[in-house]
């Protein structure tokens, strides 16, 4: 019996040991399985979801604040700075969530006392000014965008804020940059100016361009409301190249979104530098020539052929014939763009420059007069070509076979068209001169209006039905850059104002073609005129105007180097070009004793205003005559005869180019 119980106990022990061993193995297996799953999950978290979680942690645990980029500089062709940024110390305010207005006003009062005691009186601010810049109601900035309160801090202000930093919560002194421009006002309307991004993005002119910039998600490219951006000229045209990249400050924040530590800073990157085609010496000579000559013709003796007492503005462009590089672009009077320093301008200063800040060589610009009634008596910067149209008119006549290079015409001083009686229109030469027998070249030289009207304008009307002749005329002039944009890329460039289609519809196609033939049916910009002159010099190659020689990165490498570009070519027989060149060879007042050959055409365009007809001085030329290098166009509204009111300005520009660069390959 005992033996039997012992045997049963032994069996139970064996079974228990087996169960225990099974449970132990199951426990170890389960533990191993759980650890394996845990390790796999950790691996997934680290290697698969790690970057995503890291980004989430960063976005939740820190806030990025952009530091404005350092804008690139603009140089003239010789490497002299024309627009450049200098370092300055500015004070910024970073607002925190939950700040009370009373606290902000109290801080503004403290700042006011420091600014008054230690600051420059020229940079004085009121408490209201400071509160406005703090933007505590978030009208202009997001929560973490630093607000620039004041720039150009004095050393005493900087020292005070650095020594008493703990007293000014949210206040930080930051190295900033201010845009400066050459004090001699070099090509200011071409270079342009800067304004705040918050203004640029709402301006009708620049809104579309800058709204796209506002959509950037890259913190280094995101535009800041208080950032200075290009608003005109090359500052606008090359905004992307000049801007550079933001720096970034990352502030650690807690679960309530409050800053809990010092920031991690990535420094901003400087933008690229631009080297213009503008030569500073030639540009300044052009500007001075305009100012001096206008002063002369305004004060010439009463009764003198030089006198033009209403002239008060002048425009000139010099462009290399073979490259399209613009060497000088003067729109006078000009102004000091340093008035825009800091991206703002006072209402008084803006009122003073409003009529001259726009570039009259590419846009329609009116001078400032005491009243609108007085302004209506005077023309804008867009004037009729007058006789400068005639070389092109002769080319059209030759190509359309209304004349040949050897055509002889008897200029009696008048050509009449239209029905007899009060509808009869007579086209006469200046001062009612009669030139007698003329071939096409001599008709250009003598500026024969009857020749152009009868032999080309009227013949085109007879050759084509209805307004078809006007369309043919339009096709020709556009090939020479008239009535189309020049391809410059400058903001707001005008195509000019074409009247001949209106004249054809409201008077007759005959009238439109006849009046167009001697330059009285379309008004063009000086940049269009110089492109037209260069196309004549190039025998039909219309060059794109270029304003930049090269774009250079901060490390000195060349990012971009614009090359000459032919926009279109007008193919005509050499014999036709020779006619034009013979007609443009005669001398002109103001070019006596020059050391180079040149071809030119003067123009005295008449324009009707509320006070009657006025005469505008227009002049186009290129030199040397045998191998053209430089083309120049000059316009002086109400300047009188082109040979007297505009040609002497052009002579100064050619001389300056010859001395600085060289019309024959070497500076003279």
């Amino acid at each position: 019996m005992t033996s039997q119980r012992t045997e049963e106990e032994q069996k139970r022990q064996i079974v228990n040991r087996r169960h225990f061993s099974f449970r132990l193995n199951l426990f170890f297996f389960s533990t191993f399985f759980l650890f394996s799953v845990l390790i796999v999950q950790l691996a997934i978290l680290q290697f698969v979801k790690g970057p995503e979680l890291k980004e989430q942690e960063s976005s939740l645990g820190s806030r990025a604040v952009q530091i404005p980029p350092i804008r690139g500089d603009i140089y003239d062709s010789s490497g002299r700075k024309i627009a450049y940024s200098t370092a300055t110390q500015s004070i910024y305010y970073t607002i925190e969530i939950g700040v009370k207005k009373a606290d902000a006003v109290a801080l503004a009062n403290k700042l006011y006392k420091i600014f008054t005691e230690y600051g420059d009186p020229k940079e004085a601010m009121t408490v209201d000014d400071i509160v406005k810049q703090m933007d505590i109601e978030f009208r202009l900035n997001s929560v973490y965008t630093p607000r620039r309160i004041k720039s150009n801090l004095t050393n005493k202000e900087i020292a005070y804020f650095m020594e008493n930093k703990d007293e000014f919560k949210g206040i930080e002194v930051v190295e900033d940059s201010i845009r400066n421009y050459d004090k001699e006002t070099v090509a200011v309307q071409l270079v342009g100016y800067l304004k705040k991004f918050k203004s640029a993005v709402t301006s009708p002119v620049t809104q579309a361009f800058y709204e796209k910039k506002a959509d950037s998600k890259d913190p280094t490219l995101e535009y800041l409301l208080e950032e200075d951006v290009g608003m005109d000229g090359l500052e606008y045209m090359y905004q992307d190249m000049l801007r550079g990249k933001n720096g970034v400050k990352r502030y650690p924040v807690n679960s309530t979104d409050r800053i809990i530590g010092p920031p991690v800073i990535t420094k901003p990157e400087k933008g690229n530098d631009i080297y213009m085609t503008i030569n500073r010496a030639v540009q300044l000579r052009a500007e001075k020539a305009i100012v001096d000559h206008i002063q002369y013709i305004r004060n010439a003796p009463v009764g003198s052929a030089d006198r033009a007492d209403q002239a008060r503005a002048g425009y000139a462009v010099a462009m290399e014939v073979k490259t399209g590089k613009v060497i000088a672009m003067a729109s006078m009077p000009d102004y000091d763009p340093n008035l825009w320093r800091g991206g703002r301008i006072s209402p008084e200063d803006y009122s003073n420059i409003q009529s001259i800040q726009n570039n009259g060589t590419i846009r329609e610009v009116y001078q400032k007069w005491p009243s609108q009634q007085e302004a209506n008596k005077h023309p804008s910067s867009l004037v009729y070509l007058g006789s400068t149209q005639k070389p092109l008119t002769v080319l059209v006549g030759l190509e359309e076979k209304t004349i040949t290079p050897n055509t002889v015409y008897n200029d009696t001083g008048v050509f009449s068209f239209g029905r007899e009686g009060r509808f009869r229109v007579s086209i006469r030469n200046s001062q009612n001169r009669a030139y007698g027998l003329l071939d096409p070249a001599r008709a250009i030289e003598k500026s024969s209006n009857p020749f152009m009207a009868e032999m080309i304008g009227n013949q085109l009307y007879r050759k084509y039905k209805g307004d078809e002749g006007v369309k043919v005329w339009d096709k020709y002039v556009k090939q020479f850059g008239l009535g189309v944009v020049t391809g410059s890329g400058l903001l707001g460039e005008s195509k000019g104002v074409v009247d001949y289609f209106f004249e054809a519809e409201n008077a007759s196609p005959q009238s439109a073609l006849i009046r167009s033939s001697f330059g009285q049916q379309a008004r063009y910009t000086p940049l269009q005129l110089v492109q037209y002159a260069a196309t004549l010099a190039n025998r039909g190659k219309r060059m794109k105007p270029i304003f930049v020689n090269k774009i250079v990165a901060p490390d000195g490498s060349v990012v971009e180097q614009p090359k000459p570009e032919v926009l279109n070519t007008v193919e005509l027989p050499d014999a036709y070009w020779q006619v034009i060149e013979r007609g443009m060879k005669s001398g002109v007042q103001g070019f006596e004793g020059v050391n180079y050959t040149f071809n030119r055409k003067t123009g005295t365009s008449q324009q009707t205003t509320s006070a009657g007809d006025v005469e505008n001085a227009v002049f186009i030329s290129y030199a040397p005559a045998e191998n053209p290098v430089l083309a120049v166009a000059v316009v002086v509204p109400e300047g009188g005869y082109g040979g007297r009111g505009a040609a002497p300005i052009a002579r100064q520009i050619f001389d300056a180019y010859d001395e600085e660069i060289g019309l024959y390959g070497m500076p003279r």
Side-chain angles (χ1 to χ4, degrees), residues 401-529:
K401 305 296 188 284
T402 67
I403 58 172
T404 72
N406 300 313
T407 293
V408 176
Y409 172 78
N410 184 27
D411 181 349
T412 63
V414 62
F415 166 70
S416 300
F417 71 98
R419 285 182 295 171
E420 294 296 335
R422 66 188 182 92
F423 295 105
R424 191 72 171 167
V425 178
S426 295
I427 305 300
R428 300 179 184 276
N429 285 319
S430 175
Q431 300 180 358
N432 294 318
R433 290 190 178 111
Y435 293 113
L437 299 179
L438 300 174
D439 66 8
R442 190 159 173 78
I444 294 172
E445 178 188 338
K446 293 298 182 181
S447 284
S448 170
N449 289 337
F451 180 98
M452 306 297 158
E454 184 173 358
M455 300 304 294
I456 301 168
N458 198 51
Q459 291 300 319
L460 285 175
Y461 166 69
R462 293 180 180 279
K463 181 176 179 179
Y464 294 99
K465 294 181 179 179
D467 65 353
E468 195 62 31
V470 182
K471 293 177 182 177
V472 170
W473 175 266
D474 182 64
K475 179 194 72 174
Y476 279 110
V477 297
K478 283 180 175 176
Q479 291 181 72
F480 283 80
L482 303 175
V484 292
V485 292
T486 63
S488 72
L490 291 172
L491 179 67
E493 182 186 355
S494 170
K495 293 180 180 179
V497 178
V498 169
D499 295 334
Y500 42 75
F501 285 117
F502 179 84
E503 179 75 6
E505 183 178 347
N506 290 275
S508 69
Q510 183 184 28
S511 178
L513 286 165
I514 287 173
R515 296 180 189 279
S516 291
S517 71
F518 56 93
Q520 292 298 135
Q521 280 292 294
R523 295 182 288 125
Y524 302 116
T525 69
L527 184 59
Q528 288 174 304
L529 280 176

Side-chain angles (χ1 to χ4, degrees), residues 56-337:
Q56 290 180 9
E57 178 191 14
S58 175
S59 65
L60 292 172
S62 66
R63 285 291 177 268
V65 175
Q66 286 78 22
I67 304 171
I70 303 168
R71 196 170 184 84
D73 299 328
I74 299 177
Y75 297 81
D76 86 324
S77 60
S78 67
R80 183 158 177 171
K81 284 184 179 180
I82 303 300
Y84 54 97
S85 298
T86 54
T88 184
Q89 298 295 323
S90 299
I91 192 164
Y92 281 81
Y93 173 60
T94 303
I95 200 168
E96 286 202 12
I97 293 174
V99 69
K100 296 178 180 177
K101 184 173 182 178
D103 295 335
V105 172
L107 178 58
N109 276 283
K110 288 176 68 176
L111 291 173
Y112 170 74
K113 291 178 182 178
I114 304 307
F115 294 160
T116 303
E117 184 174 354
Y118 299 111
D120 184 345
K122 295 178 182 178
E123 305 287 343
M125 300 179 72
T126 66
V127 173
D128 288 341
D129 292 335
I130 297 170
V131 171
K132 183 179 179 181
Q133 291 300 112
M134 293 172 80
D135 188 27
I136 57 178
E137 295 177 350
F138 310 108
R139 292 177 179 175
L140 302 174
N141 303 277
S142 61
V143 177
Y144 287 100
T145 301
R147 287 91 159 123
R148 182 159 62 182
I149 306 299
K150 184 185 180 187
S151 294
N152 296 324
L153 298 181
T154 65
N155 291 333
K156 289 183 178 180
E157 286 175 306
I158 296 167
Y160 187 90
F161 286 118
M162 297 302 288
E163 291 170 6
N164 300 276
K165 190 173 182 180
D166 294 340
E167 295 180 23
F168 298 92
K169 193 172 184 180
I171 291 295
E172 188 175 8
V173 176
V174 175
E175 185 173 328
D176 217 340
S177 64
I178 294 291
R179 198 64 161 174
N180 305 277
Y181 295 92
D182 191 302
K183 291 182 179 179
E184 293 196 69
T185 63
V186 179
V188 297
Q189 294 97 337
L190 171 63
V191 173
Y193 62 97
L194 307 182
K195 283 182 72 173
K196 298 298 179 188
F197 176 69
K198 63 187 179 185
S199 298
V201 81
T202 58
S203 169
V205 179
T206 58
Q207 183 176 20
F209 177 76
Y210 283 114
E211 275 185 343
K212 294 178 182 177
K213 308 297 180 186
D215 295 335
S216 176
K217 303 302 180 185
D218 184 340
T220 66
L221 298 177
E222 186 177 345
Y223 275 62
L224 314 180
L225 289 174
E226 286 295 321
E227 179 182 338
D228 295 336
V229 298
M231 283 297 291
D232 200 3
L234 300 182
E235 291 275 32
Y236 172 86
M237 186 174 171
Y238 288 93
Q239 169 65 22
D240 291 340
M241 287 290 188
L242 288 164
R243 182 180 185 267
K245 292 186 177 181
N246 302 331
V248 180
K249 286 184 181 179
R250 289 197 176 274
Y251 289 91
V253 296
N254 60 18
S255 59
T256 62
D257 230 19
R258 293 185 180 277
I259 295 172
I260 57 175
V264 176
I265 299 175
T266 303
K267 291 183 177 181
E269 294 182 19
K270 186 178 184 294
N272 298 319
D273 295 330
I274 288 178
Y275 288 77
M276 297 190 294
T277 57
I278 296 292
N279 180 281
R280 186 177 185 276
V282 179
Q283 175 71 29
L284 290 177
R285 185 88 163 265
E287 294 174 6
K288 186 176 187 302
I290 293 173
V291 173
D292 289 351
H293 194 64
I294 288 176
Q295 179 72 9
Y296 165 71
I297 61 178
R298 281 176 61 87
N299 295 284
V302 176
S304 165
D306 290 350
R307 187 173 174 86
D309 56 7
Q310 294 299 310
R312 58 166 57 187
Y315 311 94
V317 186
M319 186 171 85
E320 288 185 343
V321 170
K322 296 179 177 64
T323 66
K325 292 181 179 180
V326 175
I327 306 301
M329 176 179 266
S331 178
M332 303 301 289
D334 63 0
Y335 71 102
D336 182 1

Side-chain angles (χ1 to χ4, degrees), residues 355-420:
S355 63
I356 55 177
Q357 74 168 31
N358 284 319
N359 191 344
T361 66
I362 64 166
R363 300 179 190 146
E364 186 162 33
V365 172
Y366 289 88
Q367 294 304 301
K368 188 175 183 179
W369 295 91
S371 66
Q372 187 59 49
Q373 184 179 6
E374 180 65 24
N376 292 338
K377 299 177 183 178
H378 305 280
S380 70
S381 56
L382 267 63
V383 303
Y384 294 117
L385 269 65
S387 294
T388 59
Q389 173 75 62
K390 289 169 182 173
L392 177 51
T393 299
V394 168
L395 283 176
V396 173
L398 290 168
E399 182 67 5
E400 288 294 317
K401 305 296 188 284
T402 67
I403 58 172
T404 72
N406 300 313
T407 293
V408 176
Y409 172 78
N410 184 27
D411 181 349
T412 63
V414 62
F415 166 70
S416 300
F417 71 98
R419 285 182 295 171
E420 294 296 335

